[in-house]
Amino acid sequence: MTRQELEEDVNVGDTVKITTKSGEFTGRVEEFGESAIRLTNPDNGKPKRIAYDFIMEYDTDVAPAADVISIGIDTESKMVAIPGKNYRMGQTPVTQRLYKKLMGENPSWFQFSNDDLDDDQQENLEENINTDNNPVENISWYDAVYFCNKLSLKEGLTPAYSVDGETDPEYWGYTPHQDESIESEVECDFDSNGYRLPTNDEWEEAANGGESYTYSGSDDLDKVGWYDDNSNNVTHPVAQKMENGYGLYDMSGNVWEWVCVSRPNSSVKSFYRGGCYIDGAEYCEVENRLKYYLAYRRCSYNGFRLLRTLD
């Protein structure tokens, strides 16, 4: 087969199954070289070059195979391996169900038991059976890293965060959901296999999904995200919109997601990404990095997404 024959039907970014003289290989097209095509295995991110004259046939009607595992305490919550990277990302923001299973309480504003919701918000929420699958929100940066370490310990993983050398958050002198600060330095071991928040760059890599859309998964925000034009002023269950190229949901809209900074304290502004249910479309763009907030502050549009470095 020639390069020209292949390029007639296949584009960079497509996932194809190629049959060669020695077997089959499924991968994402990265480059058309002079004598060979370069593909990336969507399961493990490893590249492979296949000479054009070695290809017998190909199939473009192939969905990428996602390397997906369940979070131990909640099999409905998933982690997805990002092709070519050494980490898994939460398929969705952390849900109220997962958060309550670990922490024993749900601080979210958007739940039926909140009598302070206005009538329209209550009515719009009640379109769903419950809010278990809505993103947890009303979460500070400190609450998020506390959760990460507690979940890591629960699953027998090495926690990523430490305060004065202590990785068990029970000994940080911190009470979640009270608008408190951790005055000592919060350090992060980015090589640990425990849960943590993504860095700005990791978040953006995952949100791009191997594509080049304005929003995560599409140039049409209505297809992939909840924002001020379609949310009815409430959060929505995760994974109701279209996923991006890596199989991740809700990275544009629904709730802002805290990202990792190395040394937040009570006076440091910590970044969050992705836009939320009350924002205009411009805030939901993948490349938007303008939003930051004090690390101890909580509100109804701040949630988070988990990341784990691969062993």
Side-chain angles (χ1 to χ4, degrees), residues 224-238:
V224 295
W226 300 105
Y227 67 116
D228 64 353
D229 276 1
N230 65 9
S231 72
N232 290 323
N233 201 33
V234 296
T235 63
H236 289 259
V238 300

Side-chain angles (χ1 to χ4, degrees), residues 17 115 199:
K17 179 191 291 182
D115 294 333
T199 65

Side-chain angles (χ1 to χ4, degrees), residues 179-195:
D179 300 316
E180 296 179 356
S181 299
I182 300 174
E183 297 302 333
S184 296
E185 182 176 326
V186 179
E187 297 183 332
C188 183
D189 177 3
F190 291 95
D191 294 323
S192 79
N193 67 353
Y195 295 97

Side-chain angles (χ1 to χ4, degrees), residues 22-178:
S22 60
E24 294 182 341
F25 182 83
T26 299
R28 186 186 298 273
V29 178
E30 301 293 340
E31 178 185 22
F32 293 96
E34 289 301 316
S35 61
I37 186 173
R38 183 165 69 89
L39 305 136
T40 296
N41 186 328
D43 285 336
N44 58 25
K46 294 182 178 180
K48 184 179 182 69
R49 301 187 77 88
I50 300 176
Y52 297 121
D53 61 5
F54 208 67
I55 298 172
M56 299 173 64
E57 60 184 45
Y58 58 91
D59 179 9
T60 59
D61 188 23
V62 177
D67 181 2
V68 180
I69 62 172
S70 295
I71 292 176
I73 68 168
D74 181 15
T75 57
E76 295 179 65
S77 297
K78 311 291 185 183
M79 301 289 290
V80 179
I82 305 302
K85 303 299 177 181
N86 70 333
Y87 62 87
R88 283 189 173 91
M89 182 77 83
Q91 192 173 44
T92 70
V94 172
T95 62
Q96 294 181 25
R97 181 190 63 249
L98 172 58
Y99 195 88
K100 187 174 181 179
K101 277 188 176 183
L102 182 70
M103 301 292 286
E105 59 182 319
N106 179 7
S108 299
W109 175 264
F110 288 111
Q111 51 181 319
F112 296 149
S113 59
N114 183 6
D115 294 333
D116 291 327
L117 292 169
D118 64 39
D119 291 342
D120 287 340
Q121 290 175 325
Q122 188 76 37
E123 181 178 350
N124 290 326
L125 278 183
E126 287 175 355
E127 293 178 1
N128 303 297
I129 298 173
N130 55 52
T131 59
D132 286 353
N133 274 331
N134 286 44
V136 69
E137 24 79 12
N138 216 10
I139 295 290
S140 74
W141 189 92
Y142 295 114
D143 295 339
V145 300
Y146 187 105
F147 177 94
C148 287
N149 270 31
K150 188 168 182 176
L151 181 58
S152 297
L153 290 169
K154 181 79 172 177
E155 296 192 6
L157 304 172
T158 302
Y161 297 102
S162 62
V163 176
D164 295 329
E166 178 58 66
T167 58
D168 187 339
E170 297 291 337
Y171 296 99
W172 287 356
Y174 174 75
T175 304
H177 321 136
Q178 302 299 314

Side-chain angles (χ1 to χ4, degrees), residues 192-208:
S192 79
N193 67 353
Y195 295 97
R196 62 177 173 87
L197 302 177
T199 65
N200 253 316
D201 288 342
E202 288 166 338
W203 188 96
E204 195 163 314
E205 288 166 352
N208 274 317

